[in-house]
Amino acid sequence: MAEQEGSIVRVPLQSLDTYDGVVAEDVTSPEGALLLPQGLRLSLLGASLPKVLDRLRSSGVEGISIRMETSVSLKSVDSFLEVVLAQNQAVIDREVSREAVSQVQGLFQSVRRQPMTPELLVPLVATGKTLAQEILKNPQVLLSLARVHRWDEYTFVHSFNVAALAGFLAQRLHPQEPDLVEQIVLGGLLHDLGKAQVPLEVLNKPGPLDDREFALMKQHSAWGEELALQGEVTSAPIRAVIRWHHERWTGCGYPDGLRREEIPEAARITAVADVFDALTAERAYKQSLPSRDAMNLILGDTGQHFDPRASRTLLTSFGLYPPGSIVELSDRSVGVVVSAGGEDLIRPVVLIQVTPEGTAPESPLFRDLRRCDLRIRNYLGSGARRDL
Ligand SMILES: [Fe+2]
């Protein structure tokens, strides 16, 4: 980019995605609503940029003034989150995450080639236990969901995310039952095992499935339980998660049409985690939904699809501003939510990215909104997931 650092340039909306810099002055609608705050770093908008652009266009904005800044080393939410993750012990160890994803993948590949045996499960069970320990150590849900890099690795990354999230929810619902949490984590890692028997062209189809393909796909929960039996999995919660994670609270799920408490709790918890991750993941044929929107959809479906206790736990775990939300505070600083504020839904912990003066903080600056006078003024979008 040719512009000099510190200079202010007027950028037409259609070229905004090619610029990095800081919004030089508040952008408002003709009615005076704040559309983009001064000081916002454009790269923080990440995947929300198209939506923000739509909003600006529909408000008649044609261009905005950007102050070019290239000296800040934290160029994007991703690299920014690297700092957050490095500073927070309370996040799942990256090695454990990687290990879990690659072992789920290894297991799926083995099951496609050879009959299921108990030995095939040994490495994944060991990593699953370590993952459960990580979750039990962490009282807060922090950014831990992993992103999918390649279209064909979705199932494995998704299995890890479901295991982690279901484990977090189980821990909050049953803090005195670490064994149950562990079983649910293992169940999450294995919940889609039956997909190892779904033809690859159906499993990895980069688009919505037709009726025949969907009928095949729906077999995976029953097939998964058969595989678990062949692998001599005796734990009732693990088997329940595998067989019944697609059952629905009102009884219109599959494979058995169980309803309400007939569905074992481990499967009800996993159902919430499963749908949350599916909604927020990026797929070849759909954009990811910001976690806040996914949470709203799940809450809207509570009592239909989901067990109300399990989905309420999701809300109180994430707060109204889930980790990764980009927010503007009342002093006009902008940051990323790094931790929901426990039961306090509107006052999370925010890591400041842009100070009220429009500069990057010299050292990482955390604001716990339960412990200071600041409040959230504006929700600006959702940040990225983490790279494994
Ligand atoms: Fe499934």
Side-chain angles (χ1 to χ4, degrees):
M1 200 159 298
E3 284 80 8
Q4 251 195 332
E5 187 179 335
S7 63
I8 292 180
V9 290
R10 185 79 185 162
V11 179
L13 282 195
Q14 64 269 25
S15 349
L16 202 59
D17 57 351
T18 61
Y19 280 74
D20 188 19
V22 170
V23 177
E25 56 194 35
D26 280 350
V27 181
T28 52
S29 71
E31 296 77 37
L34 183 66
L35 301 172
L36 276 183
Q38 179 193 1
L40 171 72
R41 182 171 304 285
L42 288 176
S43 55
L44 270 177
L45 293 171
S48 309
L49 184 65
K51 263 196 205 155
V52 172
L53 288 176
D54 282 350
R55 197 167 153 219
L56 291 169
R57 258 183 228 112
S58 62
S59 300
V61 176
E62 289 172 354
I64 63 175
S65 298
I66 300 293
R67 191 171 65 246
M68 307 311 298
E69 282 194 355
T70 52
S71 57
V72 180
S73 60
L74 299 171
K75 278 268 180 207
S76 67
V77 175
D78 270 1
S79 57
F80 181 50
L81 290 175
E82 289 290 319
V83 177
V84 181
L85 296 172
Q87 302 231 343
N88 274 282
Q89 290 308 303
V91 70
I92 292 167
D93 182 81
R94 185 164 295 211
E95 241 350 273
V96 177
S97 320
R98 273 202 204 111
E99 194 78 354
V101 172
S102 87
Q103 284 172 351
V104 173
Q105 182 167 17
L107 178 63
F108 269 64
Q109 285 164 348
S110 301
V111 168
R112 282 191 185 276
R113 284 195 306 261
Q114 65 190 87
M116 182 68 167
T117 61
E119 289 69 40
L120 287 179
L121 290 170
V122 171
L124 184 62
V125 168
T127 307
K129 288 185 176 188
T130 313
L131 175 58
Q133 289 309 314
E134 292 275 321
I135 290 166
L136 288 164
K137 267 191 339 215
N138 297 331
Q140 290 273 332
V141 178
L142 286 182
L143 269 189
S144 58
L145 299 184
R147 67 155 88 203
V148 176
H149 287 289
R150 295 195 334 262
W151 57 282
D152 58 345
E153 70 176 11
Y154 170 77
T155 307
F156 320 123
V157 175
H158 171 68
S159 299
F160 164 77
N161 285 343
V162 170
L165 187 50
F168 276 123
L169 298 178
Q171 185 208 22
R172 289 184 74 103
L173 281 161
H174 299 285
Q176 309 303 333
E177 295 182 56
D179 286 349
L180 179 65
V181 174
E182 186 181 289
Q183 302 301 298
I184 290 178
V185 169
L186 290 170
L189 288 173
L190 295 170
H191 79 286
D192 274 343
L193 180 60
K195 287 187 180 173
Q197 295 187 333
V198 173
L200 281 174
E201 64 275 16
V202 176
L203 184 65
N204 293 330
K205 184 178 173 187
L209 302 179
D210 65 28
D211 290 349
R212 185 195 64 88
E213 293 162 338
F214 189 55
L216 256 178
M217 192 68 123
K218 276 170 79 172
Q219 300 280 342
H220 78 274
S221 44
W223 288 344
E225 196 200 16
E226 275 169 38
L227 287 168
L229 280 172
Q230 289 161 20
E232 296 177 12
V233 174
T234 52
S235 151
I238 296 180
R239 283 174 38 191
V241 166
I242 298 173
R243 184 172 181 92
W244 289 309
H245 66 274
H246 287 290
E247 298 290 356
R248 295 185 175 208
W249 188 244
T250 45
C252 53
Y254 63 86
D256 299 314
L258 301 185
R259 57 192 297 272
R260 301 175 73 99
E261 280 87 6
E262 287 172 357
I263 311 164
E265 191 191 11
R268 285 182 261 143
I269 293 172
T270 307
V272 171
D274 186 19
V275 172
F276 181 83
D277 185 65
L279 289 172
T280 53
E282 211 164 309
R283 301 293 305 269
Y285 55 90
K286 73 163 185 72
Q287 278 213 326
S288 64
L289 205 59
S291 39
R292 190 176 140 115
D293 296 351
M295 212 160 53
N296 281 335
L297 275 181
I298 286 177
L299 289 172
D301 235 355
T302 293
Q304 302 287 317
H305 187 153
F306 304 107
D307 170 0
R309 268 190 85 213
S311 50
R312 250 200 318 273
T313 306
L314 180 78
L315 173 68
T316 55
S317 305
F318 277 87
L320 291 177
Y321 301 98
S325 300
I326 300 162
V327 292
E328 182 195 13
L329 301 184
S330 45
D331 66 351
R332 301 204 160 206
S333 57
V334 173
V336 173
V337 173
V338 291
S339 161
E343 295 296 310
D344 189 335
L345 303 184
I346 57 170
R347 291 187 293 178
V349 180
V350 177
L351 179 58
I352 303 300
Q353 164 76 341
V354 180
T355 66
E357 293 74 42
T359 56
E362 278 171 18
S363 55
L365 176 60
F366 289 92
R367 296 282 197 207
D368 183 343
L369 301 192
R370 287 167 301 176
R371 298 198 172 79
C372 65
D373 281 343
L374 295 171
R375 60 183 171 75
I376 291 177
R377 179 170 178 243
N378 210 351
Y379 171 79
L380 301 174
S382 180
R385 293 176 159 220
R386 72 188 283 222
D387 280 311
L388 283 180

